[in-house]
Amino acid sequence: MTTAWLVFCGAPVASAATTLVRAGGDLQAALVNARPGDTITLEPGATYVGNFTLPEKSGTGWITIRPSGADPVPEGTRITPALAAGLPKLRSPNNQPVVLAARSAHHWRLVLLELEGGGDKSGEILALGDGSAAQSSLSHVPHDLVIDRCYIHGDAATGQKRCVALNSAATTITSSHISDCKRVGQDAQAIAGWNGPGPFTISNNYLEGAAENLIFGGSDPSIPNLVPSDILITGNLISRPPEWRRQSWQVKNLLELKNARRVKIVRNVIQNNWQAAQSGFAVLFTVRNQDGGCRWCQVEDVVFEGNVVQHSAAGISILGFDDNHPSLQTQSIVIRNNVFADIDNQNWGGNGYCFMFNGGPRRIVIDHNTIIQEHASGILQVEGPPVLEFTFTNNIVRHNAYGIIGSDHAPGRDTISAFFPASTVTHNVIADGDASRYPSGNQFPSSAQFRAQFAGYGDGNFRLAESSPWRNAGSDGRDLGAEFRPKAVPR
């Protein structure tokens, strides 16, 4: 797939200048007057109130908005709220975005800023592009945008509907802290994108949202045939406070793709999800022609690899076709080398399944995952139609009550033959399962034997013990379970 890296440089600009906007100064005038290559500096700790628009400029030199003086954290280090007092604060006076990238705006960098919404908190804080019908052509889309080490947040008491609207192209959000994106009776997201083509890089951020922390799709794009594509989501902590469970925010899932293509979700920690407004799956690959005007909507070519998914009522739900409006098929999903820990219906509600398939997705690979479910209904629940080209290999998991089960079928081989024709289900550890019900080539230890194979099961260390016979026992000669062997993060 194409990786959405941006190069943080542009052609040298002879007239590049640095302009300091002091507290109380006219920031919008500085934005209008800036030329490619310029830097606009703001006073650390000062507050700038307004609705600021990043206008379109000619040329490809980057225009940077940042604090004056030395950086409080170096590039590549995630910002934290503890540094907020030393950041310039941009605050909206109303329900409009505090920063908006105008039509066709490009080559803007926001660095080390605090962004906060205003009004009744039902709008967006940072709008990178326009999600409405006003942005109906690729030529309208803002592009080449960078958000670096910014603190973007809703109000602790009343939240914010959407912290970042990502409807642009060639955009990077990195090393930022995005939090308190939450609402009562209303979906709220840390980052949501539906009307921008990508590519997108979302790396090394803290993302905190109530309904969905991060979502692509959810509204029909106004640009014909648009599918957000070439998306890299890496190194993020995608989480929410467990204390929200005792509050009234509308909670659904942590990461959802409704319309996305060529997505790599790698080396993230994805945690803290419970049964509330939805059944509790942490991650959803659920294609949606949301409002009926996107027959081309699709979830396709997704790699979910090297992640820790933990403290959740359920794991990953995959939908083949939208069951409300016509859509294209979800296909080519690879779930590999992940640790799923504390996927537990006793702790978090729901049913505790690690996987659920509905509507007939195609070409699904689940390989080399370590799955820890102390209390759960089973491993995988499936409803029709059949899932073609299914692979389930080299995984370590407990069977629990129903293991792999489909509607109106018995667990194991009966379900596999009905819902996964010509599939590959081999070289898995399925603890406490009944070997007579499953294809040959799998192992069925007791739950005590299962726990004994890990370096520190009770401490959340799910690396295989050095003496484990599951080392080098995979179909490919590698260790069973997650090869990158992370230690799960405690609650």
Side-chain angles (χ1 to χ4, degrees), residues 235-427:
N236 302 284
L237 175 56
I238 301 173
S239 182
R240 63 173 65 96
E243 295 76 22
W244 286 9
R245 195 174 182 183
R246 300 187 294 273
Q247 299 170 12
S248 300
W249 314 114
Q250 179 150 301
V251 170
K252 290 188 173 181
N253 59 72
L254 294 162
L255 191 158
E256 183 167 10
L257 303 180
K258 291 186 174 185
N259 185 30
R261 181 178 293 137
R262 296 188 300 277
V263 184
K264 291 186 72 173
I265 305 166
V266 295
R267 297 185 301 277
N268 304 279
V269 175
I270 303 170
Q271 66 178 17
N272 298 342
N273 196 62
W274 49 88
Q275 183 182 26
Q278 288 183 346
S279 61
F281 280 88
V283 177
L284 275 64
F285 302 141
T286 50
V287 61
R288 291 294 181 192
N289 174 3
Q290 191 77 23
D291 305 309
C294 184
R295 299 174 70 95
W296 64 85
C297 276
Q298 183 177 38
V299 176
E300 180 184 36
D301 193 8
V302 178
V303 175
F304 188 88
E305 183 171 15
N307 303 287
V308 175
V309 181
Q310 60 183 359
H311 314 318
S312 182
I316 298 179
S317 177
I318 303 178
L319 177 68
F321 289 91
D322 188 356
D323 47 14
N324 294 316
H325 301 289
S327 74
L328 299 181
Q329 186 178 30
T330 297
Q331 59 183 345
S332 300
I333 310 293
V334 176
I335 302 169
R336 180 173 56 210
N337 290 343
N338 305 284
V339 168
F340 295 84
D342 188 26
I343 307 301
D344 193 300
N345 60 355
Q346 188 174 102
N347 292 337
W348 303 100
N351 57 33
Y353 280 102
C354 193
F355 305 104
M356 182 171 71
F357 299 165
N358 291 313
R362 183 165 189 159
R363 288 196 297 277
I364 310 297
V365 173
I366 301 176
D367 180 54
H368 276 292
N369 299 281
T370 297
I371 302 167
I372 308 299
Q373 300 165 278
E374 282 295 296
H375 311 96
S377 296
I379 305 165
L380 189 157
Q381 183 182 39
V382 58
E383 297 181 1
V387 178
L388 303 181
E389 301 177 78
F390 175 66
T391 299
F392 190 84
T393 49
N394 303 308
N395 301 290
I396 298 174
V397 64
R398 290 184 62 199
H399 188 272
N400 284 294
Y402 300 111
I404 299 174
I405 188 169
S407 299
D408 301 320
H409 286 268
R413 189 179 286 109
D414 183 42
T415 287
I416 292 168
S417 62
F419 290 98
F420 302 110
S423 60
T424 301
V425 180
T426 187
H427 285 79

Side-chain angles (χ1 to χ4, degrees), residues 17 49 83 99 105 126-127 142 179 214 224 228 236 239 266 402 412 421 425:
V49 178
L83 297 171
V99 175
L126 174 61
S179 60
L214 174 59
N236 302 284
S239 182
V266 295
Y402 300 111
V425 180

